[in-house]
């Protein structure tokens, strides 16, 4: 790796840690907010985007976005993605020490599988470090964005039905993590587009003349609002882990489509990459969907708040 690669790797790690610092602030803000409902979008936006503590977290997250844009001008997604994922250890440590969240053996197994999947995807790049500044047209971008919006919307509304239904059981946070991860993964894909345009044509073109900055901002607004619901109702370690699984798998899967970063030509490397995608899917499926009786009780009690 050259000096630019090392600098890009350092910036990629910094970007994700900055993101997670913002998520920690979001988690603290969630406990001070009224009950957030995905079926009440205007109220959801008002409670989040007018809360000073949440806005502080947003500023931190935006700092991570700026750092990530710079990192993606130096690294291809296939190399940046494992670095992004490795920083997940930071949020797991913080959630365990400061929020006293405990993971079950099954949850640790899922996280370990995702770690192996990330290694497979990273190794599948081989010795090539192909960094392109190609960007896809609006039609290809829409083919990725539109299904993501629909999936996230279904998860957002469905989460309310399950959380407040007559026979509701406490959710572990998988659905919220998946829904927000899809939205934020698309936002990160668009950030790569912003970085590519910025690298080729300069700041003004990156900011105004392509759909990528608008997609990045719009999907981030949607994803962060959904993330906030998950952080209010569920353990941060689960929500953020599943978010990371969904978002980073999306980066690795759709990055080559949007930015023409080549897939491995070698059969073994191709098998490693496909195996990594498969393991990431298995890890996602293995996460428990509901909390057990042994889980900590420090999470918000929605029914009590709702009656209040």
């Amino acid at each position: 790796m050259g000096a630019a690669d090392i600098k890009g790797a350092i910036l990629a790690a910094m970007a994700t840690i900055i993101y997670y610092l913002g998520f920690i602030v979001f988690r603290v803000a969630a406990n001070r907010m009224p009950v957030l409902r995905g079926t009440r979008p205007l109220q959801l936006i008002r409670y989040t985007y007018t809360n000073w503590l949440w806005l502080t977290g947003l500023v931190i997250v935006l700092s991570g976005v700026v750092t990530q844009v710079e990192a993606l001008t130096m690294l291809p997604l296939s190399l940046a993605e494992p670095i992004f994922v490795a920083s997940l250890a930071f949020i797991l440590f913080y959630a365990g020490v400061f929020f006293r969240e405990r993971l079950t053996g099954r949850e640790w197994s899922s996280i370990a599988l995702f770690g192996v999947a990330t290694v497979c995807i990273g190794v599948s790049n081989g010795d090539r470090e192909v960094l392109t500044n190609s960007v896809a047209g609006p039609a290809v971008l829409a083919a990725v964005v539109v299904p993501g919006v629909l999936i996230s919307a279904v998860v957002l509304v469905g989460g309310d039905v399950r959380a407040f239904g007559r026979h509701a059981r406490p959710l572990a946070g998988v659905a919220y993590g998946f829904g927000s991860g899809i939205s934020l993964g698309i936002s990160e894909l668009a950030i790569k587009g912003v970085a590519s345009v910025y690298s080729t044509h300069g700041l003004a073109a990156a900011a105004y003349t392509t759909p990528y900055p608008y997609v990045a901002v719009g999907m981030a607004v949607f994803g962060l609002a959904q993330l906030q619901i998950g952080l209010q109702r569920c353990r941060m370690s689960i929500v953020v882990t599943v978010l990371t699984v969904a978002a980073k798998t999306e980066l690795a899967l759709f990055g080559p489509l949007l930015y023409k970063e080549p897939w491995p030509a070698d059969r073994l490397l191709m098998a490693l990459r496909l195996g990594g995608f498969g393991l990431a899917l298995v890890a996602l499926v293995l996460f428990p969907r509901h909390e057990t009786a042994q889980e900590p009780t420090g999470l918000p009690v929605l029914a009590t708040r709702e009656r209040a």
Side-chain angles (χ1 to χ4, degrees), residues 81-169:
E81 193 257 355
I83 298 170
F84 292 150
V85 173
S87 303
L88 182 62
F90 170 79
I91 201 71
L92 293 175
F93 171 80
Y94 197 98
V97 173
F98 294 96
F99 294 134
R100 300 186 181 280
E101 296 183 2
R102 298 293 179 263
L103 299 177
T104 65
R106 181 175 168 184
E107 290 163 348
W108 277 119
S109 298
S110 298
I111 292 172
L113 270 180
F114 182 54
V116 174
T118 301
V119 171
C120 290
I121 293 171
V123 171
S124 71
N125 194 60
D127 295 329
R128 299 175 308 163
E129 297 180 10
V130 181
L131 178 62
T132 73
N133 288 323
S134 173
V135 293
V140 177
L141 181 62
V144 174
V145 172
V146 173
V149 172
L150 294 176
I151 292 171
S152 298
V154 168
V155 172
L156 184 63
V157 175
D160 269 3
V161 173
R162 292 186 178 184
F164 295 98
R166 179 177 298 179
H167 303 291
R169 295 170 58 194

Side-chain angles (χ1 to χ4, degrees), residues 48-113:
T48 52
Y49 288 87
T50 60
N51 182 286
W52 70 267
L53 186 57
W54 190 91
L55 291 173
T56 300
L58 180 61
V59 171
I60 297 173
V61 169
L62 291 177
S63 301
V65 171
V66 173
T67 307
Q68 185 176 10
V69 168
E70 188 66 25
L72 290 175
T73 63
M74 303 177 186
L75 291 176
L77 282 172
S78 55
L79 288 181
E81 193 257 355
I83 298 170
F84 292 150
V85 173
S87 303
L88 182 62
F90 170 79
I91 201 71
L92 293 175
F93 171 80
Y94 197 98
V97 173
F98 294 96
F99 294 134
R100 300 186 181 280
E101 296 183 2
R102 298 293 179 263
L103 299 177
T104 65
R106 181 175 168 184
E107 290 163 348
W108 277 119
S109 298
S110 298
I111 292 172
L113 270 180

